[in-house]
Amino acid sequence: MSESQLWDDVDDYFAALLAPADDTLTAALRDSDAAGLPPINVAPNQGKLLQLLAQIQGARRVLEIGTLGGYSTIWLGRALPADGRLITFEYDPAHAEVARGNLARAGLDKIAEVRVGAALETLPKLAEENPEPFDLVFIDADKVNNPHYVEWALKLTRPGSLIVLDNVVREGKVADPGNTEAHVRGTREALELIAAHPKLNGTAIQTVGSKGYDGFALARVLA
Ligand code: SAH
Ligand code: DHB
Ligand code: MG
């Protein structure tokens, strides 16, 4: 058996046991696929990790950058209380439409709001509203802008908030300082920013499984 087959099998085992799909999650992925969205949502056990992190945070307010069909949004939204709030940013109106349908079916349409536009344009608009600080920010959009998204996350959070960055490994490309791909450079710059910033305490973790070889970075906002 190949290593990657083994990783998939273990992911399937973990997901079935610890992060089983229900009708809502299954329908969200089915409708995303039917609408031609790429299958780049987080894996089920990763979605469950996001939910657990939001719960550990005692999160009432979550910000997500990169909605796709709202699969990760559902996991995060389910961690929130009934009066919680989740704002998720999506560039592609077609993705946003699928996500809105999926969030409504999940019963999260009162809690979760999909805002359409390039996040570097919608983030300043959100900041102008002087929103209460977000307890968790999940960054999962165009990786070239990851350093900007970390800076915005800092502006929109409080001491104790958690920033999660997806796809920081990308088959190991992140460790190659000579890599010139924009998304790899963006992620390396974001990691360097986390490492150097006096108000952030972070780490990064590699993952394998149904979504390939990739990883997350986590950073806690300090006082
Ligand atoms: N978080 C989702 C996956 C997001 S995929 C999940 O795990 O289920 C990345 C998404 O970011 C795509 O839908 C893409 O259209 C969106 N995106 C790309 N560039 C963006 C930008 N500049 N602003 C906001 N969203 C963007
Ligand atoms: C891609 C984006 C993601 O957010 C992800 O989790 C996997 C792949 C991509 O753009 O290829
Ligand atoms: Mg991702």
Side-chain angles (χ1 to χ4, degrees), residues 2 21-22 29 50 56 75-76 103 111 135 170 177 179 187 204-205 208:
S2 72
D22 55 25
L29 292 180
L50 292 173
I56 292 163
W75 282 107
L76 286 163
L103 290 164
I111 288 178
D135 308 301
R170 283 295 177 85
N179 187 300
T187 292
I205 289 292
V208 294

Side-chain angles (χ1 to χ4, degrees), residues 40-42 140-141 143 166-167 170 214:
I40 55 175
N41 50 275
V42 293
D140 190 20
K143 317 305 174 193
D166 195 22
N167 309 113
R170 283 295 177 85
D214 217 317

Side-chain angles (χ1 to χ4, degrees), residues 65-90:
I65 306 174
T67 317
L68 192 64
Y71 180 79
S72 54
T73 323
I74 293 173
W75 282 107
L76 286 163
R78 285 178 170 176
L80 297 180
D83 63 346
R85 188 105 176 86
L86 191 160
I87 296 178
T88 181
F89 287 125
E90 174 53 51

Side-chain angles (χ1 to χ4, degrees), residues 12 27 51 60 66 99 105 107 112 138 144 148 153 158 162 166 171 181 223:
D12 289 347
Q51 185 187 83
R60 307 185 64 81
R105 183 172 34 219
F138 179 46
V144 64
H148 301 299
R158 55 165 174 85
L162 182 67
D166 195 22
E171 307 285 340
E181 291 169 81

Side-chain angles (χ1 to χ4, degrees), residues 1-12 171 207-214:
M1 189 191 292
S2 72
E3 255 182 349
S4 69
Q5 183 58 52
L6 189 58
W7 293 337
D8 279 2
D9 290 351
V10 172
D11 241 21
D12 289 347
E171 307 285 340
T207 57
V208 294
S210 60
K211 295 291 169 179
Y213 171 37
D214 217 317

Side-chain angles (χ1 to χ4, degrees), residues 14-146:
F14 285 165
L17 187 67
L18 297 162
D22 55 25
D23 291 348
T24 306
L25 289 165
T26 301
L29 292 180
R30 184 199 61 215
D31 283 10
S32 298
D33 187 53
L37 272 53
I40 55 175
N41 50 275
V42 293
N45 50 341
Q46 295 172 344
K48 183 77 178 277
L49 174 66
L50 292 173
Q51 185 187 83
L52 284 163
L53 290 170
Q55 287 169 346
I56 292 163
Q57 281 299 99
R60 307 185 64 81
R61 298 175 54 82
V62 167
L63 178 65
E64 178 178 66
I65 306 174
T67 317
L68 192 64
Y71 180 79
S72 54
T73 323
I74 293 173
W75 282 107
L76 286 163
R78 285 178 170 176
L80 297 180
D83 63 346
R85 188 105 176 86
L86 191 160
I87 296 178
T88 181
F89 287 125
E90 174 53 51
Y91 175 74
D92 189 325
H95 295 185
E97 190 187 324
V98 175
R100 286 186 184 122
N102 286 333
L103 290 164
R105 183 172 34 219
L108 291 167
D109 43 339
K110 297 276 185 297
I111 288 178
E113 180 194 349
V114 186
R115 295 194 182 185
V116 178
L120 286 183
E121 289 173 19
T122 49
L123 280 160
K125 283 186 194 147
L126 173 63
E128 280 169 22
E129 296 168 22
N130 278 317
E132 277 175 56
F134 291 88
D135 308 301
L136 186 152
V137 181
F138 179 46
I139 299 172
D140 190 20
D142 49 330
K143 317 305 174 193
V144 64
N145 283 317
N146 273 343

